[in-house]
Amino acid sequence: QVQLVQSGAEMKKPGASVKVSCKASGYTFIGDGISWVRQAPGQGLEWMGWISPYNGNTNYVQKFQGRVTMTTDTSTNTAYMELRGLRSDDTAVYYCARGARPIDFWGQGTLVTVSS
Amino acid sequence: EMVLTQSPATLSVSPGERVTLSCRASQSVSTNLAWYQHKPGQAPRLLIYGESTRATGIPARFSGSGSGTEFTLTISSLQSEDCAIYYCHQYNNWPSLTFGPGTKVELK
């Protein structure tokens, strides 16, 4: 069965970077893109962007351009999302998810807390 | 920018009742709309995509309808385990995908 297993919770100071991992199993990793979606406390879901493990192509939401980098390692079927220049309003649960049109399976989420 | 609006924000219903959730898009998304169920502490779950296709393993009490700018998710007979937040999601406007703000369904 499809599984996306994410790395554990992170606590970061403002200005730092965080890198969240997402290990995929149960399907052909290069056959589907990986989306990253976040949910701030008390807020809704926000799509951040997408990466194709097949060719590394990415699409980032404009508000994250310049701060986010999505990568994949096809040797380990793992996707990564790095967010730099963290601010307090980046505190959120970050989800990786398979696909984009539509997203069909989600990871369990990784809580990233940004606090001084 | 594509905006999705969901109504109502919160719905209080009794078990066995029929539930109708609405999602409106600021511009046409054709049939490129999905619905997700999200419970606290869990990953969101895909319910409906392509406007009316149930995802694998989704009970038949969940159905979707609509196209263009107006969409509806219906739960024919609410079960207690259906209490959750429901999000609509448009994937027509690539690469600017958006989610609605959600509708919380709770037991009366």
Side-chain angles (χ1 to χ4, degrees):
Chain A
Q1 72 281 21
V2 175
Q3 281 195 305
L4 298 169
V5 179
Q6 299 185 223
S7 49
E10 301 263 13
M11 184 162 289
K12 297 290 182 181
K13 293 194 181 303
S17 299
V18 69
K19 191 169 186 177
V20 179
S21 68
C22 168
K23 185 170 177 60
S25 61
Y27 73 100
T28 302
F29 185 58
I30 60 172
D32 283 283
I34 294 288
S35 288
W36 288 89
V37 179
R38 76 178 187 179
Q39 184 175 36
Q43 303 298 308
L45 300 170
E46 180 178 30
W47 189 75
M48 300 177 65
W50 169 93
I51 182 167
S52 166
Y54 175 74
N55 56 17
N57 285 351
T58 55
N59 286 105
Y60 302 144
V61 169
Q62 188 170 7
K63 72 177 283 187
F64 299 108
Q65 290 271 6
R67 284 209 302 144
V68 71
T69 301
M70 297 176 188
T71 57
T72 59
D73 181 345
T74 55
S75 69
T76 60
N77 289 354
T78 303
Y80 299 91
M81 188 282 299
E82 181 181 33
L83 190 62
R84 300 176 294 279
L86 289 169
R87 308 183 289 252
S88 58
D89 62 358
D90 290 318
T91 294
V93 176
Y94 289 77
Y95 294 98
C96 65
R98 188 178 75 163
R101 304 184 73 183
I103 290 170
D104 58 1
F105 287 96
W106 299 66
Q108 84 276 19
T110 296
L111 175 63
V112 175
T113 303
V114 183
S115 174
S116 55
Chain B
E1 177 188 311
M2 169 76 69
V3 176
L4 297 179
T5 304
Q6 291 187 243
S7 61
T10 303
L11 197 55
S12 298
V13 296
S14 300
E17 275 190 39
R18 183 181 183 87
V19 173
T20 301
L21 310 180
S22 174
C23 177
R24 175 176 292 178
S26 60
Q27 55 189 274
S28 176
V29 299
S30 183
T31 58
N32 295 314
L33 187 114
W35 291 91
Y36 297 90
Q37 178 191 68
H38 194 195
K39 298 180 180 179
Q42 297 185 19
R45 179 170 72 146
L46 175 66
L47 299 175
I48 303 286
Y49 64 95
E51 164 246 336
S52 62
T53 302
R54 270 192 303 278
T56 303
I58 301 304
R61 65 180 181 274
F62 292 93
S63 63
S65 64
S67 65
T69 62
E70 300 280 347
F71 298 86
T72 299
L73 175 70
T74 300
I75 308 173
S76 60
S77 177
L78 186 82
Q79 309 297 303
S80 58
E81 63 264 30
D82 299 335
C83 292
I85 298 176
Y86 291 83
Y87 294 96
C88 59
H89 168 54
Q90 69 80 20
Y91 49 94
N92 188 67
N93 197 27
W94 181 262
S96 298
L97 307 189
T98 51
F99 291 87
T103 292
K104 183 178 182 180
V105 175
E106 60 185 23
L107 285 178
K108 188 180 291 184

